Amino acid sequence: MEETTSRSSSKVVAVVGGGLVGALNACFFAKRGFQVELFEAREDIRRARHMKGRSINLALSHRGRQALQHVGMEEKIVSQGIPMNARMIHSPSGKLSSIPYGKKGQFILSVDRANLNRELLTEAETYPNMQLNFDHKLQDWSAETGLMTFARSDGSVQEIQADLIVGCDGAFSAIRKQFLRRSRFNYSQTYIPHGYMELTMPPVHGEFAMEPNYLHIWPRNTFMMIALPNLDKTFTCTLFMPFEEFEKITTGEEVMEFFHRYFPDTIPLIGADALKRDYFRLPAQAMVSVKCSPYHIGDKCVLMGDAAHAVVPFYGQGMNAGFEDCVVFDEMMEQFKEDLSVVLPEYTRVRVPDDHAIADLAMYNYVEMRAHVNSRWFLFRKLLDNFLYAIMPKTIIPLYTMVTFTRTPYHEAVERWHWQNKVINGGLLLGATGAALGVACVLIKILPTSNKLAGPAEKTVEPTDGGRGGVERHLPSIKPVEAVKR
């Protein structure tokens, strides 16, 4: 069975991928009046009995909120999130210390991935020029004609002709496969040697087991665990660790031994039985970082979200960067009057450096979260950066603030961060050098005075009796060494 769909009332935009970025992007295009066809290989998440795929909690920040605001969704999603004002660091001894994310009133939001996806799909469905197509797996598409072929689970095939194809189908994008066949397309993917495993911390007497308005972190140098709050009063705990360490733990007893050693305060909160059961429920999952360029083919196709730039989750910017893709593209559509032949190459030119920068920052932040937060130097620099930001807000802006609480382009934030570090470290070095020179000058002034004072004393102790005890007459009596020993 073959079915051909064609609409001529307006340009057709085919959004491939019904995840977070795909659903939001569909809203952006529908709002502009395009005829939007959204295709998702899986069943409708709103009707699915069993959830498949990743479930790491998401941290919604300024860039993502701005994108939601453009389609009138910010207030609703924010009301369903839990504010996190700071990191809460858990030491092996159980000591707690917090590191604020920014100035007073600045926070990130813990949001549920599945719920957010459902809300975005429901919002997309409200547009009359929108068609949602689930159980449609992309088989082939043409960059020259825009013809797309989808297979369905019942064996049928559907074809559609699109004026613009938008690939939002994740890190293992089917749309991107066509890009790989073309010359001068740069592509790399990197699996980090660490995996992740999720555990659940249930409520205690109907309330959160820990303070809810924090992102809790147990940094252990080469690995770590984090916990984010959920609306149902649970915490989703995610253990990040090298695969080889996961593989060493093969029994329930070894799980308990491991947690007693590194995360003892979590055992009564998660529960020993739940730990031993859930640790083996699913194997540790891999994390991949994807970079590619360009993001477009002519005026027919463009990649966004993880299809263009999958990042590891340690800066909390994967979703936010994908959502910002939608805003940047929409702004360019406005600027260039929806001329796709201009918009697509300009989108690639502007967005590639930013997405590569956040991919690198996400890698760096894993080291910061699992190791640097234990360092006194790191804590000192955080305090110093925040102090300088408070007194010179236009000159010194902490990197995390630029990335999380502004829409400063990612690559510009990194460049400014490097410049600020040179200035601040140079200032600290200059201050330390000045202090050392000051101490040296004081010592130089004191020493000659001491020598003058010592001069007469030396004269008074010169031997006057043929060298027989002149010194002794001018020194306090000293007990013999033997007496001291006794």
Side-chain angles (χ1 to χ4, degrees):
M1 173 183 171
E2 186 168 307
E3 179 187 341
T4 302
T5 304
S6 176
R7 289 183 173 85
S8 57
S9 57
S10 62
K11 285 187 176 180
V12 176
V13 174
V15 178
V16 181
L20 299 175
V21 175
L24 178 62
N25 231 338
C27 294
F28 270 90
F29 284 108
K31 192 177 177 185
R32 284 199 161 271
F34 290 95
Q35 179 60 47
V36 182
E37 297 275 356
L38 183 145
F39 295 94
E40 169 56 50
R42 300 167 300 179
E43 63 180 318
D44 188 341
I45 190 175
R46 296 168 296 175
R47 297 172 179 82
R49 290 185 179 181
H50 302 288
M51 289 290 299
K52 293 182 180 179
R54 296 174 299 169
S55 57
I56 292 179
N57 281 56
L58 300 168
L60 178 66
S61 55
H62 180 74
R63 296 171 199 264
R65 289 179 63 166
Q66 287 287 293
L68 292 169
Q69 185 185 65
H70 274 68
V71 295
M73 290 286 288
E74 181 188 16
E75 189 176 329
K76 185 173 189 177
I77 300 305
V78 168
S79 70
Q80 297 173 355
I82 299 176
M84 297 183 293
N85 304 303
R87 297 166 170 170
M88 181 65 80
I89 309 301
H90 295 246
S91 72
S93 66
K95 180 184 175 183
L96 301 178
S97 55
S98 67
I99 305 175
Y101 280 122
K103 295 186 295 186
K104 187 176 181 180
Q106 289 182 324
F107 57 86
I108 58 178
L109 282 157
S110 174
V111 297
D112 179 83
R113 175 190 295 273
N115 181 65
L116 177 55
N117 203 165
R118 285 191 286 265
E119 293 287 0
L120 288 170
L121 288 171
T122 299
E123 177 66 18
E125 216 165 29
T126 64
Y127 291 91
N129 51 327
M130 174 80 66
Q131 178 67 44
L132 304 185
N133 305 281
F134 297 98
D135 183 30
H136 280 67
K137 186 175 182 180
L138 182 67
Q139 284 192 319
D140 198 13
W141 66 277
S142 168
E144 286 67 40
T145 66
L147 184 66
M148 311 176 74
T149 305
F150 295 90
R152 305 200 61 188
S153 58
D154 61 5
S156 64
V157 173
Q158 182 174 350
E159 289 187 343
I160 183 172
Q161 192 91 28
D163 296 287
L164 175 65
I165 299 168
V166 185
C168 301
D169 50 340
F172 306 102
S173 169
I175 290 288
R176 197 177 57 225
K177 289 178 182 178
Q178 285 277 17
F179 283 69
L180 291 167
R181 298 172 189 168
R182 306 176 77 88
S183 65
R184 300 172 63 193
F185 177 69
N186 299 306
Y187 172 79
S188 69
Q189 73 173 33
T190 304
Y191 279 97
I192 64 171
H194 297 70
Y196 73 89
M197 175 180 290
E198 291 187 334
L199 303 164
T200 299
M201 185 180 291
V204 175
H205 305 303
E207 293 299 328
F208 286 104
M210 303 182 295
E211 287 289 331
N213 297 119
Y214 294 91
L215 192 158
H216 293 262
I217 307 176
W218 291 258
R220 300 299 181 259
N221 295 318
T222 58
F223 57 93
M224 70 173 182
M225 187 165 73
I226 67 172
L228 276 77
N230 301 307
L231 285 175
D232 63 359
K233 305 295 179 69
T234 64
F235 279 91
T236 298
C237 304
T238 309
L239 174 61
F240 298 97
M241 194 163 64
F243 278 102
E244 59 188 30
E245 298 299 323
F246 276 116
E247 291 160 3
K248 287 178 184 177
I249 300 172
T250 58
T251 66
E253 289 69 28
E254 288 172 343
V255 171
M256 296 310 299
E257 183 182 339
F258 173 77
F259 271 79
H260 272 297
R261 183 174 181 182
Y262 295 109
F263 312 112
D265 57 331
T266 68
I267 295 174
L269 301 179
I270 298 174
D273 291 339
L275 265 177
K276 288 188 280 189
R277 179 188 68 240
D278 294 347
Y279 187 92
F280 300 103
R281 185 180 51 177
L282 288 172
Q285 304 296 299
M287 289 173 284
V288 67
S289 180
V290 170
K291 292 180 180 179
C292 68
S293 176
Y295 287 168
H296 73 287
I297 296 177
D299 62 355
K300 280 291 184 187
C301 184
V302 64
L303 300 174
M304 296 193 200
D306 284 358
H309 50 82
V311 300
V312 292
F314 305 114
Y315 220 114
Q317 286 294 303
M319 172 189 66
N320 291 287
F323 280 8
E324 191 177 48
D325 288 346
C326 304
V327 178
V328 170
F329 194 86
D330 189 67
E331 289 169 346
M332 290 180 178
M333 291 284 276
E334 187 68 27
Q335 181 181 352
F336 299 111
K337 297 179 171 45
E338 299 182 359
D339 183 348
L340 297 178
S341 65
V342 178
V343 171
L344 269 62
E346 182 66 8
Y347 174 78
T348 283
R349 186 190 70 80
V350 168
R351 202 62 184 152
V352 166
D354 286 335
D355 293 332
H356 287 191
I358 192 57
D360 294 337
L361 276 179
M363 290 286 199
Y364 161 80
N365 211 49
Y366 183 35
V367 181
E368 179 173 299
M369 290 177 74
R370 63 182 164 83
H372 291 176
V373 292
N374 291 323
S375 159
R376 290 182 179 178
W377 170 253
F378 172 83
L379 297 175
F380 166 73
R381 275 304 306 270
K382 279 285 184 187
L383 288 171
L384 179 61
D385 289 353
N386 289 333
F387 171 73
L388 293 173
Y389 179 42
I391 62 174
M392 298 183 291
K394 293 184 179 179
T395 306
I396 301 295
I397 307 175
L399 174 64
Y400 193 88
T401 296
M402 287 188 282
V403 169
T404 308
F405 300 119
T406 78
R407 274 196 60 200
T408 303
Y410 290 122
H411 79 281
E412 290 182 15
V414 172
E415 289 168 2
R416 182 165 184 156
W417 173 50
H418 289 315
W419 172 80
Q420 289 177 174
N421 274 344
K422 286 181 182 178
V423 171
I424 294 170
N425 289 339
L428 290 172
L429 180 61
L430 191 63
T433 304
L437 288 173
V439 171
C441 288
V442 171
L443 291 174
I444 289 169
K445 288 181 180 179
I446 290 174
L447 285 174
T449 307
S450 300
N451 288 337
K452 289 176 184 177
L453 292 171
E458 290 173 359
K459 288 179 182 178
T460 61
V461 298
E462 287 179 359
T464 56
D465 55 355
R468 295 176 299 171
V471 173
E472 292 176 5
R473 289 198 302 273
H474 300 277
L475 293 175
S477 60
I478 301 174
K479 292 181 181 180
V481 174
E482 290 79 0
V484 174
K485 286 181 180 178
R486 289 195 294 271

